């Protein structure tokens, strides 16, 4: 059952679904870069889940790389799924926080930019670990804390509200993966810069991607024309006729370990038999 915040986010993606593919160039770019990492994977999966598939544009890339695999497309927005290419595909409308799959039934989870819009990424990690068999791979992209820092900086002299949802640091994401039971996560980051000439185009692009400010201390009221002008001026477009915004893109790759290790994670605490104590000595 989705809470009110999650229901609100799902409505956001329902509303942008119709034009998502034509307007969200950023998601498409990162999806391509994430897909390239599959070329290094030697796993021969039976079942792959495209977690947060949106309109299903990753399907062709996944099927091309793993032609004998079953690709399951999952998204919590029914409108997104309905806007995808109509064919005989396995499509599931469900919440990534509660995956409708049996334990140890999936080989690879591929997830492009799902986490920034999720209420509880740690719960998603736990669910991913639950449904992945051994050896299983969780490959994903997300955003880091320096994303859109120019926007927050431009608003800082206008008001004291948060105008950008704060994202987790790459190292904290890695720690959360270990807490969920994944082994040796590999995290890396790249900073992408996009140039704009018009603030309204930037806002249009963000809305088309379903980007919503979910910060607890966001502005509950309306922005006045005077505030908007100050924000726009602070971005620098009046002086240079263009401005830049940064996106800190984080890529994660984590594998499952064997299920017979005896180690169990409960509330972030690892429990293991005394017989394995020597394995944890330096």
């Amino acid at each position: 059952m989705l809470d009110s915040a999650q229901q609100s986010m799902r409505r956001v993606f329902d509303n942008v679904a119709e034009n998502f593919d034509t307007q969200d160039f950023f998601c498409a770019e990162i999806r391509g870069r994430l897909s390239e990492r599959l070329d290094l994977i030697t796993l021969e999966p039976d079942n792959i889940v495209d977690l947060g598939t949106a309109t299903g544009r990753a399907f062709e890339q996944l099927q091309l790389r793993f032609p004998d695999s079953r690709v399951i497309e999952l998204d919590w927005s029914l409108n997104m799924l309905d806007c995808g290419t109509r064919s005989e595909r396995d499509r599931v409308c469900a919440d990534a926080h509660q995956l409708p799959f049996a334990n140890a039934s999936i080989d690879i989870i591929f997830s492009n930019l799902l986490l920034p819009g999720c209420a509880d990424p740690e719960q998603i990690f736990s669910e991913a670990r639950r449904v992945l068999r051994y050896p299983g791979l969780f490959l994903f992209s997300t955003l880091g804390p320096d994303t859109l820092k120019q926007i927050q900086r431009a608003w800082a002299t206008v008001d004291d509200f948060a105008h950008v949802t704060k994202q987790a640091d790459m190292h904290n994401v890695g720690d959360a993966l270990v807490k969920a039971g994944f082994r040796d996560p590999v995290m890396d980051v790249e900073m992408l810069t996009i140039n704009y000439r018009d603030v309204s185009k930037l806002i249009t692009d963000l809305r088309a991607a379903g980007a919503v400010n979910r910060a607890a201390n966001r502005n509950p009221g309306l922005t006045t024309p005077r505030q908007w002008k100050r924000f726009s001026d602070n971005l620098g477009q009046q002086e240079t006729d263009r401005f830049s915004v940064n996106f800190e893109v984080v890529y994660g790759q984590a594998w499952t370990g064997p299920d017979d290790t005896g180690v169990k994670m409960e509330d972030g605490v690892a429990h293991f038999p005394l017989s394995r104590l020597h394995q944890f000595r330096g």
Side-chain angles (χ1 to χ4, degrees), residues 5 14 54 75 98 103 113 116 118 123 126 132 182 230 257 266 269:
D14 279 342
D75 202 277
Q98 295 177 307
N103 295 351
L113 295 176
C118 291
Q123 176 62 24
S126 295
L132 282 170
F182 285 97
R230 287 184 62 189
E266 295 181 2
V269 179

Side-chain angles (χ1 to χ4, degrees), residues 9 17 27 30 45 49 63 66 71 82 86 89 93 101 135 138 157 174 189 201 203 239 250 276 281:
M9 284 300 299
C27 183
I30 303 307
V49 172
Q63 200 72 82
F66 304 104
V71 178
D82 286 343
R86 300 186 180 279
R89 294 188 189 176
C93 187
F101 306 120
F138 182 30
T157 61
V189 62
K201 179 64 169 91
I203 301 305
E239 291 80 10
V250 176
R276 293 201 61 220
R281 295 176 61 184

